[in-house]
Amino acid sequence: MTLLAVERIKLFTTRSPWWCTLIALVLTIGFGALMAGTSEENIAPLTIAATQFGYTFGLVVVMVMAALAITTEYRFSTIRATFLAVPNRPTALIAKATVVAVLAAIVGEIAAFGSWGIARLMKPNVDLAINTAYEWRAVAGVGLVYGISAVVAVAVGVLLRHSAGAIAVLLIWNQLVEPLVQLIPKVGDDIHKWLPFNVANKLITGNPDPSTRDVLQGPPPSDAVLGPWPALAAFAGFAVVLFGIALVVANRRDA
């Protein structure tokens, strides 16, 4: 518990988490408001999925925050003091990842329910009640995806140790590599179905109710072959493996 408290204090005494949290909330909730304001009943109806259109943009910002939480320590060499105070390096890094993941999950839930809430305020006559399992996943599932993605970002930060490099890898993979893989002839679509962030997106967009999920509304539907909850488990497994590799590397090299 002491380590968790220390990591919490370290995280919140820097500016980047506060700015990233603000930007993530403004982006996601702002897109929710935009979708509500531009919706038309017969052309682009407002749905639960549509209110979460901006969740991927907030995800990018949350991963930047998570990467900075660890790379900033390497940049200013405060990680050395951390490892001197806690010789068991994996324990210190696990505590940091836990705090960052919890913050990311909270930001995700606030962003998701905030986007849904502002849409309801703007369009009170539209039925946006959260009733089905899909609708609950589409909103409440955002926090789960954000939290696990934060662990992935911390792992990348530990492996690369440079803010620019870690952020570049995360953004390029999430925004370019995964979508462009589909362009590979013959095998591109098959590979894309198993890529981590596409798999994670299955929780948010998978198995929608035919009456409430238009493919043109909300985040792009995932083509992952797994069901929503197995997909989340697979994404969590990916995060655990990557973070485990990061712990081994951090334990073997100089701080």
Side-chain angles (χ1 to χ4, degrees), residues 16-30 57-58 61 107:
S16 58
W18 295 102
W19 279 109
C20 288
T21 296
L22 178 61
I23 293 171
L25 293 177
V26 169
L27 276 175
T28 52
I29 297 175
F57 298 97
V61 179
V107 171

Side-chain angles (χ1 to χ4, degrees), residues 83-168:
F83 288 158
L84 285 173
V86 186
N88 189 336
R89 294 183 180 185
T91 301
L93 293 175
I94 289 172
K96 178 176 289 294
T98 300
V99 171
V100 173
V102 170
L103 173 60
I106 293 173
V107 171
E109 294 300 330
I110 295 174
F113 280 97
S115 299
W116 169 75
I118 198 169
R120 291 200 69 178
L121 287 175
M122 293 178 65
K123 291 294 178 74
N125 296 327
V126 177
D127 182 14
L128 291 177
I130 303 177
N131 297 315
T132 67
Y134 160 68
E135 291 168 344
W136 276 109
R137 291 198 314 271
V139 181
V142 172
L144 297 176
V145 174
Y146 277 24
I148 298 172
S149 298
V151 175
V152 172
V154 171
V156 172
V158 172
L159 290 170
L160 298 183
R161 299 192 291 185
H162 296 284
S163 297
I167 292 171

Side-chain angles (χ1 to χ4, degrees), residues 24-239:
L25 293 177
V26 169
L27 276 175
T28 52
I29 297 175
F31 269 107
L34 179 65
M35 295 300 289
T38 58
S39 64
E40 296 182 24
E41 184 176 353
N42 297 325
I43 301 174
L46 184 62
T47 63
I48 294 292
T51 66
Q52 303 306 311
F53 183 84
Y55 109 90
T56 54
F57 298 97
L59 175 62
V60 169
V61 179
V62 165
M63 288 196 296
V64 169
M65 176 194 70
L68 289 175
I70 182 64
T71 56
T72 302
E73 288 216 51
Y74 281 106
R75 178 184 177 187
F76 294 105
S77 298
T78 56
I79 195 71
R80 296 178 181 176
T82 298
F83 288 158
L84 285 173
V86 186
N88 189 336
R89 294 183 180 185
T91 301
L93 293 175
I94 289 172
K96 178 176 289 294
T98 300
V99 171
V100 173
V102 170
L103 173 60
I106 293 173
V107 171
E109 294 300 330
I110 295 174
F113 280 97
S115 299
W116 169 75
I118 198 169
R120 291 200 69 178
L121 287 175
M122 293 178 65
K123 291 294 178 74
N125 296 327
V126 177
D127 182 14
L128 291 177
I130 303 177
N131 297 315
T132 67
Y134 160 68
E135 291 168 344
W136 276 109
R137 291 198 314 271
V139 181
V142 172
L144 297 176
V145 174
Y146 277 24
I148 298 172
S149 298
V151 175
V152 172
V154 171
V156 172
V158 172
L159 290 170
L160 298 183
R161 299 192 291 185
H162 296 284
S163 297
I167 292 171
V169 167
L170 291 166
L171 298 190
I172 290 172
W173 181 270
N174 181 267
Q175 298 297 309
L176 291 178
V177 174
E178 290 204 2
L180 292 178
V181 161
Q182 298 177 88
L183 300 179
I184 300 175
K186 297 183 180 180
V187 299
D189 289 337
D190 292 331
I191 295 174
H192 183 257
K193 292 175 181 178
W194 294 98
L195 294 180
F197 289 102
N198 179 52
V199 170
N201 192 40
K202 187 74 171 185
L203 179 74
I204 309 298
T205 65
N207 296 345
D209 296 336
S211 61
T212 59
R213 179 62 163 106
D214 189 297
V215 295
L216 298 178
Q217 295 292 312
S222 171
D223 61 355
V225 297
L226 298 173
W229 291 109
L232 181 69
F235 184 54
F238 167 77

